[in-house]
Amino acid sequence: MQKLIKKTEEFLDREQVWKWGSILVFLLANILFGYLAFGKTFHYDEAYSIGLSRNGFKDIINITSNDVHSPFYYFLLKLFCMIPGISMYWGAKVFSWIFMCMFMIFGGVVTYRRYGWQVTFFWTLLAGFVPSMMIQSTTVRMYTIGLFLVTVASYMAYSIFEKETLKKWVIFTVFGIAAVYIHTFCMLEMVLVYGIFIVAALAKKKFKMVGKAFVSGLVVSIAFLPWLFSLWQQFV
């Protein structure tokens, strides 16, 4: 029994096992996502996204001015489905699938560089096969895009805290702007990211970093102002 345990441990210590395991899990997950992407069923919210995106850009703005979400996602979906050869019906699901892939790849690269293939394997497994992730992977809504944007922004905040550069601040701010426009909950998540970042910087007495975080947050807030007025009117 001890020999079996020892051989198992030796086998799992091999970096190549985790590497090819990660790649296999990624491929299996995306085979499943591909199957879901070309399904012929849509629920109400998906039908709403498709129907809204078929309107002109001006009409999308007018319609979403009474919705809780900005027109940003519908613009992106419309532009993607305007590519010759792409049908709105299956293209809309593929659009969400693309961002799910980007989320998995980004997380895989980050975990590999920081922790190695073993952690990457579990990241890929959880990102691809947790039931809620599987369901939303091709849903015709802004969930996978929001997931990708907030993940990148959150990682950039962590990376800035370790060693700040102007490039990191720019990426963090740009992805923050995109995140707050893609979904209202993403906006709240970015508020939380900034809040945690500022508290951590204060705890470490990195006061210059706190000031830069406020500047970044101000830029995001100013960029969101055009839609903030519309959002505010919906709640008052």
Side-chain angles (χ1 to χ4, degrees), residues 6-159:
K6 185 178 180 180
K7 288 183 178 181
T8 303
E9 290 176 345
E10 290 175 351
F11 177 76
L12 294 177
D13 280 340
R14 298 175 184 175
E15 193 74 356
Q16 291 297 314
V17 173
W18 297 109
K19 174 183 176 180
W20 291 107
S22 300
I23 294 171
L24 178 61
V25 169
F26 177 80
L27 291 175
L28 289 175
N30 280 279
I31 289 172
L32 174 62
F33 298 158
Y35 172 77
L36 294 173
F38 291 94
K40 297 181 180 179
T41 59
F42 299 92
H43 57 66
Y44 176 81
D45 284 346
E46 291 181 299
Y48 175 81
S49 296
I50 292 173
L52 183 54
S53 299
R54 294 177 64 124
N55 289 282
F57 291 105
K58 185 177 179 180
D59 290 332
I60 292 175
I61 294 175
N62 291 333
I63 295 170
T64 53
S65 63
N66 295 312
D67 192 12
V68 293
H69 306 306
S70 82
F72 184 42
Y73 166 73
Y74 305 106
F75 283 172
L76 294 177
L77 179 58
K78 182 176 182 65
L79 289 171
F80 178 77
C81 291
M82 287 173 65
I83 297 173
I86 295 181
S87 164
M88 174 67 77
Y89 296 102
W90 59 262
K93 285 183 174 290
V94 170
F95 186 60
S96 295
W97 177 21
I98 289 171
F99 280 93
M100 187 64 184
C101 286
M102 292 170 65
F103 164 72
M104 293 181 72
I105 291 171
F106 176 79
V109 171
V110 169
T111 52
Y112 166 68
R113 288 179 176 177
R114 286 180 171 268
Y115 311 110
W117 281 112
Q118 185 172 355
V119 176
T120 300
F121 172 82
F122 288 106
W123 160 271
T124 309
L125 182 66
L126 293 173
F129 288 98
V130 169
S132 59
M133 304 290 275
M134 295 167 66
I135 292 170
Q136 304 301 344
S137 63
T138 58
T139 298
V140 188
R141 295 294 288 166
M142 58 286 288
Y143 307 136
T144 59
I145 304 179
L147 180 65
F148 172 69
L149 294 173
V150 172
T151 299
V152 174
S154 300
Y155 173 72
M156 292 312 302
Y158 179 77
S159 184

Side-chain angles (χ1 to χ4, degrees), residues 72 146 149-150 153 174-184 186-187 190:
F72 184 42
L149 294 173
V150 172
V174 169
F175 273 81
I177 293 171
V180 299
Y181 264 107
I182 204 69
H183 196 283
T184 304
C186 291
M187 176 183 66
M190 286 307 303

